Amino acid sequence: MATSCFAERLAKQVPLSDAEKRALIRLEENPRKVKRGGMIQRVNDTVTELFVLREGRVMSFVILPDGSRQILRVYFPGDFIGSASTIYSKAPESLVALSDVIVCPFDKHALRRLLEESPRVAALLFLLSNAERVAMTDRLAALGRTSAKARVAAFLLDMFDRLRVTDDSIVDSFDLKLTQEEIGDSIGLTSVHVNRMIRQMELEGLISRSNGRITLNDMARLEEIGHYTNRLKDMDLDWLPVS
Amino acid sequence: MATSCFAERLAKQVPLSDAEKRALIRLEENPRKVKRGGMIQRVNDTVTELFVLREGRVMSFVILPDGSRQILRVYFPGDFIGSASTIYSKAPESLVALSDVIVCPFDKHALRRLLEESPRVAALLFLLSNAERVAMTDRLAALGRTSAKARVAAFLLDMFDRLRVTDDSIVDSFDLKLTQEEIGDSIGLTSVHVNRMIRQMELEGLISRSNGRITLNDMARLEEIGHYTNRLKDMDLDWLPVS
DNA sequence: CGAGCGGTTGATGCGGATCAAGGAGAGTGG
DNA sequence: CCACTCTCCTTGATCCGCATCAACCGCTCG
């Protein structure tokens, strides 16, 4: 039977009927491989597609006129990408594969069908995009009002918690798979300063590293430094009626 | 007949059937007045309500442990507020009235009914919240990667364009109705530095001011300085079928 | 074996924070 | 009608966190 990475992920948070699972599987019926570094969507291109990320990592970003880059979000397997194209016909952001990936594109008109056939699933997509909005506001507050060290701590914790949603084997460490420059572009710092912060946190024993793998040694302290709260813990998807 | 501020606003961008208008009117059937400075929602409170803002201005914000504030968004009449409570049972952000306002709260369960009875309207809400997400990413890029002057310019242009959606009388000026401290808290600066940037832009003739009213004298140049693009112009809501 | 990328570290500079003081206007109470 | 207060704006002086510039190292890959 066909599988749906997205359904699996949703099912961890809310029960799904078989019909709903089938509807989700249909969204992923056109898997496409993209090599590391490959462009999935270019800013200002005309787009009508959204994606489910099945495997690997993807980032969305914009490039400013002076050449600097702001990474808007890093996506993990099971994430739902590119919802902006439901409302803008020109992509407001670029999408690039951070590793070899499998993405499943589907046309925005498929959402329409989903809305008619599985309104509850459509509603779940709505809720998830609200969760993403809240994640954005958290980072907004971090960039606007917190120190470099706080941002790095919050970034690591966020990545850790999001990876753990789909990967039960994660206990206290994870593969970064991002350069320090990419981290900097996510949280509004230079790679040089990201490096200094990471080295400092390593010296203080908060984290440790071995070839790209980060271990979080003192999560309580990291949460305090980063003013971090795990939003994934208190999501409430249950109020949607089983229809 | 009852009116819906929200329906009026949506109708500017996409045709609505009478049934759909009625559904929107029902969302606004419990208007509530709140005085300037009044708290509409407190962070961490248990909430199940969303709001349509009918009159006045509202801000959403968070306070960090060190007491500093990040304003997440300023809302104008016709805006749809608090979608985070669809997914979190505890409010992730506070809502305060920036002026005397009229808000129309409705329970999140009303969304469910909306989904069943007017799926197209439910879809429109989804699209609008995606637009808000994109607005967030624009500000994220501003905070992460642009100068103080660029942020102020982009902030003014954004306010201008958003106010113009519902107020046709606006040509090149608008009432700020925000203190410089509030602007700073929106774009990650101190009030002192906001003041310096505004005064500088005034000296350069880019803007002018008279008791709280801002006039944009050179929009092209302001857009260049702020790396600003008006997202409201190329929204595409028409692909949703008339059902 | 050379080239390129990513990480590391030091030196220096600058944009915006912080601290401080004063001014204008609006509201308030005597 | 006038002190008084409070909020917000304005401006100068100083400070500091992070950017910038630069050099070098180790690794991987062609």
Side-chain angles (χ1 to χ4, degrees):
Chain A
M1 170 184 156
T3 63
S4 161
C5 178
F6 193 38
E8 265 174 55
R9 185 257 181 90
L10 277 180
K12 296 207 177 192
Q13 304 185 291
V14 69
L16 294 173
S17 74
D18 285 347
E20 288 167 343
K21 282 179 189 164
R22 276 195 303 278
L24 289 171
I25 286 169
R26 232 182 303 139
L27 292 182
E28 296 182 39
E29 59 196 6
N30 298 309
R32 192 209 302 171
K33 291 190 183 191
V34 180
K35 285 238 169 292
R36 177 183 147 91
M39 179 91 55
I40 297 167
Q41 175 179 103
R42 193 182 307 269
V43 73
N44 280 331
D45 272 5
T46 303
V47 286
T48 62
E49 278 180 337
L50 297 82
F51 307 87
V52 171
L53 177 54
R54 183 176 290 175
E55 214 179 289
R57 296 191 187 172
V58 166
M59 65 173 173
S60 68
F61 66 92
V62 292
I63 303 287
L64 297 184
D66 69 351
S68 64
R69 173 176 70 175
Q70 175 67 46
I71 294 182
L72 301 170
R73 189 153 175 90
V74 176
Y75 293 97
F76 302 114
D79 281 342
F80 167 56
I81 309 181
S83 59
S85 51
T86 56
I87 187 155
Y88 298 111
S89 45
K90 308 242 170 198
E93 61 204 43
S94 298
L95 296 173
V96 162
L98 284 165
S99 62
D100 292 353
V101 305
I102 300 178
V103 291
C104 306
F106 60 93
D107 194 87
K108 66 181 173 186
H109 292 90
L111 279 184
R112 185 152 68 64
R113 211 173 20 144
L114 193 66
L115 194 70
E116 285 155 14
E117 294 170 13
S118 302
R120 183 160 165 271
V121 169
L124 283 174
L125 290 188
F126 180 55
L127 299 199
L128 281 189
S129 86
N130 283 332
E132 190 168 328
R133 194 201 83 103
V134 173
M136 286 288 173
T137 65
D138 285 341
R139 204 137 51 88
L140 200 65
L143 294 209
R145 289 292 181 234
T146 78
S147 70
K149 193 171 173 186
R151 291 184 224 173
V152 173
F155 183 84
L156 293 177
L157 287 167
D158 178 63
M159 233 180 128
F160 175 73
D161 284 329
R162 288 176 63 206
L163 284 170
R164 222 166 25 156
V165 171
T166 53
D167 185 346
D168 297 325
S169 69
I170 293 176
V171 179
D172 64 349
S173 67
F174 61 96
D175 281 320
L176 201 46
K177 287 182 183 159
L178 288 175
T179 66
Q180 294 178 356
E181 179 153 14
E182 285 159 350
I183 297 174
D185 285 350
S186 295
I187 57 180
L189 299 170
T190 57
S191 60
V192 174
H193 208 63
V194 168
N195 180 272
R196 286 194 230 271
M197 294 301 103
I198 286 182
R199 306 246 52 220
Q200 185 186 330
M201 288 163 71
E202 198 179 11
L203 273 176
E204 291 171 4
L206 295 167
I207 61 174
S208 29
R209 294 180 304 158
S210 67
N211 54 332
R213 195 164 181 84
I214 298 277
T215 304
L216 306 178
N217 298 320
D218 188 344
M219 283 200 236
R221 185 101 187 75
L222 283 170
E223 288 177 10
E224 193 183 317
I225 291 171
H227 310 308
Y228 177 81
T229 46
N230 181 356
R231 304 274 183 205
L232 298 169
K233 273 196 285 196
D234 49 46
M235 296 204 321
D236 170 23
L237 298 166
D238 295 329
W239 61 278
L240 281 177
V242 186
S243 49
Chain B
M1 172 184 155
T3 62
S4 162
C5 178
F6 193 39
E8 266 174 53
R9 186 257 182 89
L10 277 180
K12 296 207 177 190
Q13 304 184 291
V14 70
L16 293 174
S17 74
D18 286 345
E20 288 167 343
K21 282 178 189 164
R22 276 195 302 278
L24 289 171
I25 285 169
R26 232 182 304 140
L27 292 183
E28 296 184 38
E29 60 194 7
N30 298 309
R32 193 210 301 171
K33 291 189 182 192
V34 180
K35 286 237 169 293
R36 178 183 146 89
M39 179 90 57
I40 297 168
Q41 175 179 105
R42 193 182 306 270
V43 73
N44 279 331
D45 272 5
T46 303
V47 286
T48 62
E49 279 181 336
L50 296 83
F51 306 88
V52 171
L53 177 54
R54 182 176 292 175
E55 214 180 289
R57 295 190 187 173
V58 166
M59 65 173 173
S60 68
F61 66 93
V62 292
I63 303 286
L64 297 186
D66 68 351
S68 63
R69 174 176 68 176
Q70 176 68 44
I71 295 181
L72 302 171
R73 189 154 176 90
V74 176
Y75 292 96
F76 302 115
D79 281 342
F80 167 56
I81 309 181
S83 60
S85 52
T86 56
I87 186 155
Y88 298 111
S89 45
K90 308 243 170 197
E93 62 204 42
S94 299
L95 296 174
V96 162
L98 284 165
S99 61
D100 292 353
V101 305
I102 300 178
V103 291
C104 305
F106 60 92
D107 194 87
K108 67 181 174 187
H109 292 90
L111 280 183
R112 186 153 67 66
R113 211 173 19 144
L114 193 66
L115 193 71
E116 286 155 13
E117 295 171 12
S118 302
R120 184 158 165 273
V121 169
L124 282 173
L125 289 188
F126 180 54
L127 300 199
L128 281 189
S129 86
N130 283 331
E132 190 169 328
R133 194 199 84 102
V134 173
M136 286 288 171
T137 64
D138 284 342
R139 204 136 52 86
L140 199 66
L143 294 209
R145 289 290 181 237
T146 78
S147 70
K149 193 172 176 186
R151 290 183 224 174
V152 172
F155 183 84
L156 293 177
L157 287 167
D158 178 61
M159 233 180 128
F160 175 74
D161 284 330
R162 287 177 63 206
L163 284 170
R164 221 163 30 153
V165 171
T166 52
D167 185 346
D168 297 325
S169 69
I170 293 175
V171 179
D172 64 349
S173 69
F174 61 97
D175 281 320
L176 200 46
K177 287 183 184 157
L178 287 176
T179 66
Q180 294 178 357
E181 179 154 14
E182 285 160 348
I183 297 174
D185 285 350
S186 294
I187 57 179
L189 299 170
T190 58
S191 59
V192 174
H193 208 63
V194 169
N195 181 270
R196 285 193 231 271
M197 294 301 104
I198 286 182
R199 307 247 50 221
Q200 186 187 331
M201 289 164 71
E202 199 179 11
L203 272 176
E204 291 172 3
L206 294 167
I207 61 173
S208 29
R209 294 180 303 158
S210 67
N211 54 333
R213 197 165 180 83
I214 298 276
T215 304
L216 307 179
N217 297 320
D218 189 344
M219 283 202 235
R221 185 100 186 75
L222 283 170
E223 287 176 11
E224 192 183 316
I225 291 171
H227 310 309
Y228 178 81
T229 46
N230 180 356
R231 304 275 182 205
L232 298 169
K233 272 196 283 198
D234 49 45
M235 296 204 320
D236 170 23
L237 297 167
D238 295 329
W239 62 277
L240 281 177
V242 186
S243 49

